[in-house]
Amino acid sequence: MNFFRGVMGGQAAGPQPSGAETIQKLCDRVASSTLLEDRRDAVRALKSLSKKYRVEVGTQAMDHLINILQTDRSDSEILGYALDTLYNLISNDEEEEQDAVTHIPVSGKRKNVSAPDETAQKQADDLGAQFTDTFIQDPEHVTLLLTLLEEFDFHVRWPGVKLLTALLKNQGVQVQGIILVSPMGVSRLMDLLADSREVIRNDGLLLLQQLTKSNAAIQKIVAFENAFERLLDIITEEGSSDGGIVVEDCLLLLLNLLKNNSSNQNFFKEGSYIQRMKPWFEVGDDNSGWSAQKVTNLHLMLQLVRVMVSPVNSPGASASCQRSMYQCGLLQQLCTILMATGVPADILTETINTVSEVIRGSQINQDYFASVNAPSNPPRPAIVVLLMSMVNERQPFVLRCAVLYCFQCFLYKNQKGQGEIVATLLPSTIDANSISAGQLLCGGLFSVDSLSNWCAAVALAHALQDNLTQKEQLLRVQLATSLGKPPVSLLQQCTNILSQGSKVQTRVGLLMLLCTWINNCPIAVTHFLHNQENVPFLTAQISENLGEDERLVQGLCALLLGICIYYNDNSLENYTKEKLKQLIEKRIGKENFVEKLGFITKHELYSRAAQKPQPVFPSPEQMLFDHEFTKLVKELEGVITKAVHKSSEEEKKEEEVKKTLEQHDNIVTQYKELIREQDAQIQELKEQVSTMSAQNEQMQTTLTQQLSQIQQHKDQYNILKLKLGKDNHSQSNSQGDGSQMNGLQMEEVTQLRAELEELRMQHTLLQTQLGDKDTLINSLRSESSQTAEGSAAESDNSELLKELEALRSQVQSQSAEIHQMGTEREELIRRAEAASSDAAPSSDGSLDAQKMAELESRLAAQTNETERLKAEAKSLSQSRVELEQQLASATSTVAILQTENAKLQTEVQESKKEQDDLLMLLADQDQKIHSLKQKLKDLGETVDDEDDLDTRDQTDDDYEEDEDED
C-alpha cells in the first residue's frame, strides 16, 4: 500500500518515479492484481493522473480500463472510476484542457500562464479523436457501454452518459452507426429521460442532442420512442419560457428531431403537439426585465414554429401545419407578442419572421393577419404599423428586413391582399385622415434613404406579382409632385427618378419594380413606351462603358428593354418589336446587349438571394436582389435573348405555326374530351351489365329454392294420397257395422279438410312467387331501358325468357295436379255418399226413430261440407286461369325487352363505328402535328414532345385536384 500512498501524494523516501513509470506500474497492478480492492485503488490512481498525463494514460491504460468494464461488472465503484478515466482521456472540454495545461504550484497561487492557443486546442482535439478511434475500433466496446447505461447506480450511469456523449462529439457518424445497429440501443438511451435524478436526465438530453445530429434514421427512432411527449412534459415542468438551461436543451433536441425531417414533422402534427406549443407564447402586460435565458428559450421556441412551416418543406405539409396553428390559436398568440410593448428587439424580430412563415401562402391566415390591429388610439392595422417601421431609417436593419419579409409573405399567392394594398393608392379610396399602406410605400419609394427606396420598391413589386389586374390598376395612380404642376403617373415618376442618377441601391429597386410591373402586361408596356424619353435613356445606359458598380444597373436596363420587346403588342408605331430590335442593333449591338443582360445572373449577390425567400443580408449595402425577382430573371433571360435575335420573318412564321398548333391543340383537346365522355359512358354501361348479371344470379337462386319447395309439396301430396287410399280400403271391409261406418266417414271428411287447407297454402305460395317474378320483370324492364350493351342484354333476356317458360310450365303442371286432386276429392265424396246409402237399408229394424234422425242430420251436415269444398275447388280453378293470364302478359313483356335490346345493340355498333372514325381522324391530326413540329425543328425552334405535353397536362390536372381538395 506504500506504493499507492506515493502515487496519491504521500511522502516517500528516495527518488520519485516519473509519471510514465508510475502509470506503467499502475497498469501492471490493474492487469495482475487478484484482489478487487487493489485493482480499484489502481484505477482510482489512474483517474487522478488521466488529466495531467493524458497521453501516457491513454496509450498504456485504455485496454486495461476496457477490460475492467468487461470483467468487474459486479463492483459499481471500480466501474465508475474506469468510466471517469476514459471520459478524461476522450473528452475535449475546454475547462479540463485548461486544467491539464495550467500548472498550479504548491502555494496554491496560479502562475500567470496564458490560455492555450488555437494550436494547443487543435492538438487536444486530435488527441481526443485518436483515443475515440481506439475505443470504437471494436464496436462491442460501444455496445458494452450501452449495456452499462442500464445500471441504475449513479456512479456508473452518470460517467457512462458523459463518456458516450464525448464519443459522439469526437466521432459522431461512426458512433451513430454502431448505436443504430445495436439491439435496443436507442431505446436504452431514451430511458435516460425518465431518470428521476436531474443530473442524469439533463446529461441525457445533451447525449441525445449529439446522437440525433444529421442522422434521419436515428431521429425517426427517437421520435417514435415517445420523445416529443417526454420533452414537452419536461419543458412544462421546468416552466416553459421562464425555465432554465434544461428547457433550452429540450428545445435544441426538438429542433434536431424536426428540422429537415418531414416524417417527424408529420408525426409531430398528427400527434397534436402543435397545440401544446401555444402556452409557450403567453406573455403578460409587463414585459420589462426579461432574463437572457428567457430570451434564448423564446428564440428557440420561435425557431421550432418556423421549422414546422418553413418554405423548404413540402407545400402540403406546411399548409397543414399552418391550418393547425390558426385553429389552435397559436397564430393569434404570436400576433399578440407582435403588437405587445416592452418585448426585446431580437425576440420581436424573430416573432415577425415566424408570423411571416405561418401566414405565407395560407389564405385564412393571411386574412386573419390583415384583420389584426395595433393597440393604439385610433387603432391601426398591424400591416400599417409594420410598414412604418420598414420605411423608418432609424429602426434596426434586421427589423426592417423582417418587416419586408412579413409583407412579402402576406402577399404571397394572395390576390385579395394584393388588391387591398393597390386600392389604397387609387384616387377613389384615399383617406386623407389616416395613413394607409399605399401612402407609406410611396413615401418610402421617394424618400432620401436608399434602403427605404429599395424596400418600398420590392414591397410594391410583390403587390403586383402574377396579378395582371393590379398591374393595370396601378397605372391609374397619379402623384402630385409639387404645387402648380400637373400630377404625373407613378410609372412616370419611377422613370424620372431613374434618370436623375440616384444611388445604385435605389435604381436597382426601381428597375426591379418596373420589370415586375410591365412583365406579361402589354398595356403597361405601352404606357412605358409612350414616354418618348424612356427608350433613349435605357439604350444610353446599356451602351455606356461604366464601372463595376454600374454593371448591374446596365443588366437590369437591358432586362427592362427586353421585356418591352417580348411583351410588345405593336400598338405604338414608333416602338414596335421590329423597330426596337433595329434600335438595339444600331445603338448597342445584339451581342453586347446579351452580354449586359448576363451581368445580372453573374452577380455574386444574385445567387445568395436565389437560395431562400427570406431577405438575409450582412449589411444594408448588399441588399440588392429579391428572391422572387431572381425567379423572374431566370424565366425571362432565355426568351429575351431569343426574341432579340429573331428576324421579322421568323417571328411571323413562328406566330403562324403557333396559331396552327393552337388550332390543332384545340381540336385534339375536343376529341380527347369526347373520348373521355365515351369511356365514361362505356364504363357506366359495364357497371350496369355487372349489376344485371348479379340480379340474374339472384333470380336463379330464387328459382332453385322454389323448385325445391314444389318438390316438397309433391312429396307431401303423395304421402296424403297413400294415406287416403289405405283409409278407403279399410272402409270397404267394415261396411256391415253402421256405427263403425259413421266414424270412418267423419275421418275421411277431416282428411279432405286437411287436403283442402294444403291446396290453399300451395295456391297462396304460387301467387306470392308469381308476384316476385312480376317485380323482377319490372325492375329488369327499367334497367334494360338504360343499358347500351346490346349483346349482354340480349343474352340476359334470353335467359330470363327461358326461366319464365319454365315457370309457366311448372304452374301448368301444378294446375293439372290441383285439378286431379279435385277429381279425386269428388270421387271420395261420391264414395262416401254411396257408403251412406248402402248403410241405410242394411240397418237393422230394431233401430229406433231417434237414432235414424241423428244419422240423417249428420249426413246432411257432411253433404253441406262437401258442397263448400266444391265451391272452394272452383275458386282455385279460377285463380289458376288468372295465373295463366299473368304469365301470358309476362311473356309479352319479355318480347318487348328483346326488341329494346336489339335497338341498344344497334346503337352500340354505331358508337363503335363513330369511335373508329375519331381514331382515324386523330391519327391524321397527329401526322399533321408531327410534320409541323418537324418544320419548327428545321427552323431552329425547340418543340416539346407529345409525352412531355401529356405529362404537363397530367401535372396540371393533379395540381388542380390538389387545390380543390385544399
Side-chain angles (χ1 to χ4, degrees):
M1 298 298 295
N2 291 332
F3 169 76
F4 290 108
R5 293 191 186 97
V7 171
M8 299 305 295
Q11 298 295 327
Q16 295 294 326
S18 64
E21 293 175 351
T22 303
I23 292 169
Q24 181 61 44
K25 291 180 181 180
L26 291 173
C27 292
D28 294 340
R29 181 59 60 88
V30 171
S32 60
S33 180
T34 57
L35 292 177
L36 179 60
E37 293 182 358
D38 291 345
R39 293 197 302 275
R40 186 190 304 131
D41 292 338
V43 174
R44 183 168 57 236
L46 287 173
K47 173 188 172 184
S48 64
L49 297 173
S50 59
K51 292 183 179 180
K52 184 176 181 180
Y53 300 101
R54 186 178 179 188
V55 178
E56 291 81 359
V57 175
T59 54
Q60 298 183 42
M62 181 170 287
D63 293 337
H64 300 295
L65 295 172
I66 295 173
N67 188 53
I68 289 292
L69 298 179
Q70 294 172 339
T71 56
D72 291 330
R73 294 282 299 276
S74 60
D75 187 69
S76 60
E77 189 175 358
I78 192 172
L79 289 178
Y81 292 149
L83 291 171
D84 282 332
T85 307
L86 289 171
Y87 173 72
N88 292 338
L89 297 176
I90 291 173
S91 175
N92 292 321
D93 289 347
E94 294 182 0
E95 295 180 358
E96 296 175 358
E97 297 299 327
Q98 181 74 16
D99 295 340
V101 300
T102 306
H103 175 67
I104 302 178
V106 179
S107 61
K109 296 181 180 179
R110 188 182 300 271
K111 291 185 178 180
N112 189 14
V113 180
S114 61
D117 55 8
E118 294 181 359
T119 304
Q121 182 62 37
K122 185 177 180 180
Q123 291 175 354
D125 292 344
D126 293 341
L127 190 60
Q130 291 175 8
F131 288 146
T132 302
D133 290 337
T134 304
F135 185 85
I136 66 175
Q137 278 181 354
D138 187 357
E140 291 297 326
H141 296 164
V142 180
T143 305
L144 173 63
L145 187 56
L146 291 173
T147 306
L148 292 175
L149 290 179
E150 294 181 349
E151 296 287 340
F152 187 74
D153 192 288
F154 179 81
H155 297 91
V156 177
R157 203 171 211 187
W158 187 40
V161 171
K162 294 194 296 181
L163 175 58
L164 189 55
T165 305
L167 292 173
L168 286 165
K169 285 182 180 179
N170 293 337
Q171 297 292 345
V173 177
Q174 292 86 339
V175 179
Q176 284 173 342
I178 297 171
I179 295 175
L180 191 58
V181 299
S182 177
M184 299 296 291
V186 178
S187 299
R188 294 170 180 172
L189 300 180
M190 286 299 300
D191 292 338
L192 297 174
L193 296 181
D195 200 303
S196 59
R197 294 160 292 191
E198 291 189 2
V199 176
I200 294 179
R201 184 199 67 183
N202 298 343
D203 282 349
L205 289 171
L206 300 177
L207 169 60
L208 290 173
Q209 285 181 27
Q210 298 296 327
L211 180 66
T212 55
K213 279 185 178 179
S214 305
N215 193 309
I218 292 180
Q219 291 169 0
K220 291 179 183 179
I221 296 174
V222 171
F224 283 97
E225 287 285 344
N226 206 22
F228 294 140
E229 185 76 26
R230 295 184 184 183
L231 292 173
L232 292 174
D233 288 342
I234 294 174
I235 291 174
T236 303
E237 292 170 3
E238 295 291 330
S240 297
S241 60
D242 294 323
I245 190 69
V246 178
V247 174
E248 179 182 349
D249 291 337
C250 290
L251 293 170
L252 289 172
L253 179 54
L254 285 172
L255 284 173
N256 281 356
L257 295 176
L258 293 174
K259 195 170 185 179
N260 300 324
N261 193 318
S262 58
S263 175
N264 283 1
Q265 290 173 6
N266 184 62
F267 182 64
F268 191 85
K269 178 183 70 68
E270 296 296 334
S272 300
Y273 296 118
I274 290 179
Q275 288 81 340
R276 296 187 61 178
M277 298 167 66
K278 179 188 173 184
W280 297 351
F281 305 102
E282 293 178 355
V283 296
D285 297 332
D286 186 13
N287 295 314
S288 59
W290 284 27
S291 64
Q293 186 62 55
K294 181 175 182 178
V295 171
T296 302
N297 291 345
L298 203 54
H299 196 274
L300 291 173
M301 291 172 178
L302 292 169
Q303 286 186 4
L304 195 61
V305 176
R306 293 185 65 184
V307 164
M308 298 299 297
V309 293
S310 174
V312 300
N313 297 344
S314 64
S318 294
S320 179
C321 292
Q322 287 171 334
R323 284 195 299 270
S324 299
M325 290 177 183
Y326 173 76
Q327 292 169 357
C328 73
L330 180 57
L331 174 60
Q332 294 84 329
Q333 203 66 46
L334 292 174
C335 291
T336 302
I337 298 177
L338 199 66
M339 296 291 104
T341 57
V343 179
D346 51 348
I347 294 297
L348 180 60
T349 302
E350 188 65 21
T351 304
I352 294 174
N353 289 327
T354 305
V355 171
S356 305
E357 294 182 353
V358 173
I359 68 174
R360 187 176 190 269
S362 175
Q363 187 65 53
I364 185 172
N365 291 4
Q366 290 167 340
D367 291 342
Y368 171 77
F369 183 70
S371 66
V372 175
N373 289 323
S376 59
N377 191 13
R380 290 176 178 171
I383 298 174
V384 173
V385 176
L386 292 175
L387 288 177
M388 292 172 67
S389 301
M390 185 185 74
V391 297
N392 187 352
E393 56 183 312
R394 292 177 293 180
Q395 293 292 339
F397 173 64
V398 291
L399 179 62
R400 299 174 73 180
C401 291
V403 173
L404 175 61
Y405 184 45
C406 184
F407 190 74
Q408 292 173 348
C409 292
F410 170 68
L411 297 178
Y412 183 72
K413 294 183 179 179
N414 183 11
Q415 293 194 353
K416 178 182 176 183
Q418 290 175 328
E420 291 173 352
I421 296 299
V422 173
T424 59
L425 288 165
L426 299 179
S428 59
T429 58
I430 292 179
D431 185 4
N433 298 323
S434 63
I435 300 176
S436 65
Q439 294 173 356
L440 290 171
L441 290 177
C442 283
L445 194 63
F446 306 125
S447 71
V448 295
D449 179 28
S450 61
L451 183 59
S452 297
N453 301 153
W454 190 90
C455 292
V458 171
L460 196 55
H462 277 261
L464 306 175
Q465 193 78 34
D466 299 328
N467 195 327
L468 181 61
T469 303
Q470 303 310 324
K471 291 178 181 180
E472 296 176 355
Q473 287 291 324
L474 200 61
L475 294 173
R476 298 169 47 199
V477 177
Q478 301 289 322
L479 302 176
T481 55
S482 60
L483 295 174
K485 292 185 178 180
V488 298
S489 66
L490 178 61
L491 183 67
Q492 183 60 44
Q493 185 63 17
C494 291
T495 56
N496 292 340
I497 296 175
L498 273 178
S499 61
Q500 293 174 4
S502 53
K503 294 181 180 180
V504 173
Q505 191 175 38
T506 301
R507 285 181 288 162
V508 168
L510 290 172
L511 285 169
M512 287 195 299
L513 171 60
L514 290 174
C515 290
T516 305
W517 192 347
I518 71 173
N519 175 56
N520 198 21
C521 183
I523 298 177
V525 171
T526 303
H527 278 72
F528 181 79
L529 295 177
H530 193 269
N531 187 349
Q532 303 295 327
E533 299 177 356
N534 289 340
V535 174
F537 169 74
L538 293 177
T539 54
Q541 286 286 319
I542 300 170
S543 60
E544 291 181 0
N545 292 322
L546 303 174
E548 188 71 23
D549 296 338
E550 296 292 332
R551 282 190 171 186
L552 178 58
V553 176
Q554 288 183 314
L556 292 173
C557 290
L559 178 66
L560 184 60
L561 187 56
I563 294 173
C564 292
I565 295 174
Y566 189 72
Y567 291 106
N568 194 336
D569 58 0
N570 297 325
S571 58
L572 294 178
E573 184 178 356
N574 294 332
Y575 294 110
T576 61
K577 285 185 178 181
E578 188 61 29
K579 290 185 177 180
L580 287 175
K581 287 191 287 187
Q582 292 175 1
L583 184 64
I584 289 175
E585 188 171 4
K586 292 178 181 179
R587 301 280 183 87
I588 305 171
K590 292 183 179 180
E591 299 299 330
N592 190 26
F593 178 84
V594 174
E595 181 183 0
K596 297 292 177 67
L597 182 63
F599 286 164
I600 303 175
T601 55
K602 292 178 182 178
H603 200 280
E604 59 178 354
L605 297 178
Y606 174 87
S607 58
R608 181 182 299 177
Q611 292 175 358
K612 56 183 180 179
Q614 183 180 1
V616 179
F617 302 97
S619 63
E621 293 77 17
Q622 296 184 2
M623 203 170 186
L624 292 178
F625 284 105
D626 173 58
H627 177 75
E628 292 296 328
F629 182 74
T630 60
K631 293 181 181 179
L632 181 64
V633 173
K634 186 177 180 180
E635 176 185 349
L636 292 177
E637 185 177 11
V639 296
I640 289 175
T641 302
K642 290 182 180 179
V644 170
H645 284 290
K646 283 179 184 176
S647 62
S648 58
E649 296 179 356
E650 291 177 347
E651 286 187 353
K652 290 180 181 179
K653 290 182 180 179
E654 183 179 353
E655 289 179 359
E656 293 177 357
V657 171
K658 282 183 178 179
K659 290 181 180 179
T660 306
L661 285 175
E662 287 178 357
Q663 293 176 356
H664 286 295
D665 288 341
N666 293 333
I667 295 174
V668 171
T669 303
Q670 293 176 359
Y671 283 126
K672 283 183 178 179
E673 291 296 330
L674 181 59
I675 291 174
R676 288 193 185 101
E677 292 177 359
Q678 291 182 347
D679 288 340
Q681 292 176 358
I682 291 173
Q683 186 65 28
E684 183 179 357
L685 292 174
K686 287 182 178 179
E687 292 177 357
Q688 293 178 0
V689 169
S690 63
T691 304
M692 293 182 66
S693 299
Q695 292 177 353
N696 185 25
E697 292 178 358
Q698 185 178 1
M699 289 176 61
Q700 289 179 352
T701 305
T702 305
L703 182 60
T704 304
Q705 294 176 354
Q706 291 175 354
L707 289 173
S708 64
Q709 292 176 359
I710 291 172
Q711 186 63 38
Q712 291 177 1
H713 294 161
K714 286 182 179 179
D715 295 340
Q716 293 174 1
Y717 173 74
N718 291 329
I719 292 171
L720 291 173
K721 189 175 180 181
L722 290 173
K723 286 183 178 180
L724 186 60
K726 290 181 180 180
D727 293 339
N728 291 333
H729 181 68
S730 62
Q731 283 180 1
S732 64
N733 294 330
S734 60
Q735 290 179 357
D737 191 290
S739 61
Q740 188 177 3
M741 180 273 298
N742 290 333
L744 292 174
Q745 192 176 27
M746 290 297 296
E747 186 178 356
E748 289 175 359
V749 172
T750 303
Q751 290 177 355
L752 287 174
R753 288 178 179 176
E755 290 177 3
L756 185 60
E757 290 297 329
E758 185 70 25
L759 289 174
R760 286 176 181 174
M761 293 175 62
Q762 291 180 2
H763 177 67
T764 304
L765 179 63
L766 288 174
Q767 284 184 335
T768 304
Q769 293 174 356
L770 187 59
D772 294 339
K773 292 297 180 181
D774 289 338
T775 303
L776 290 173
I777 289 169
N778 292 331
S779 63
L780 288 173
R781 183 188 302 168
S782 62
E783 290 174 355
S784 298
S785 64
Q786 299 174 358
T787 184
E789 291 290 339
S791 59
E794 183 179 0
S795 62
D796 291 342
N797 289 327
S798 63
E799 292 176 0
L800 291 175
L801 183 61
K802 292 178 181 179
E803 293 174 4
L804 290 173
E805 290 295 336
L807 181 61
R808 182 179 179 183
S809 63
Q810 290 174 7
V811 172
Q812 290 177 353
S813 63
Q814 289 182 359
S815 299
E817 290 174 0
I818 292 171
H819 180 70
Q820 183 180 358
M821 291 172 66
T823 304
E824 291 176 357
R825 183 184 60 78
E826 293 175 357
E827 183 179 354
L828 289 173
I829 292 173
R830 287 196 303 269
R831 289 170 61 184
E833 291 174 352
S836 63
S837 62
D838 292 338
S842 63
S843 60
D844 192 57
S846 60
L847 297 174
D848 55 2
Q850 183 178 359
K851 201 170 184 180
M852 285 294 295
E854 182 181 357
L855 182 60
E856 287 175 357
S857 63
R858 291 175 62 184
L859 183 60
Q862 290 177 0
T863 303
N864 293 332
E865 182 69 20
T866 303
E867 293 296 329
R868 188 177 62 80
L869 292 175
K870 287 181 181 180
E872 289 182 357
K874 184 177 180 181
S875 65
L876 288 174
S877 178
Q878 292 176 355
S879 299
R880 181 181 59 79
V881 173
E882 292 176 357
L883 289 174
E884 289 178 353
Q885 292 177 354
Q886 292 176 0
L887 284 174
S889 64
T891 304
S892 62
T893 302
V894 171
I896 294 172
L897 290 175
Q898 287 179 345
T899 305
E900 291 177 351
N901 286 332
K903 292 181 181 179
L904 291 174
Q905 186 176 8
T906 305
E907 292 176 358
V908 169
Q909 294 296 330
E910 292 176 356
S911 176
K912 288 182 179 178
K913 184 176 180 182
E914 290 177 359
Q915 189 172 4
D916 293 337
D917 294 339
L918 290 175
L919 291 174
M920 292 294 294
L921 184 57
L922 282 175
D924 295 339
Q925 295 295 333
D926 290 338
Q927 187 65 29
K928 291 179 181 180
I929 292 172
H930 181 70
S931 62
L932 291 172
K933 287 181 178 179
Q934 190 61 39
K935 289 180 181 180
L936 283 174
K937 290 180 179 179
D938 295 339
L939 293 173
E941 293 295 326
T942 301
V943 181
D944 293 332
D945 294 333
E946 185 69 21
D947 293 339
D948 297 336
L949 291 173
D950 291 340
T951 303
R952 191 178 306 161
D953 292 340
Q954 184 64 31
T955 305
D956 294 340
D957 294 341
D958 294 342
Y959 179 73
E960 291 175 359
E961 291 176 1
D962 292 340
E963 286 186 346
D964 293 339
E965 291 177 0
D966 292 340

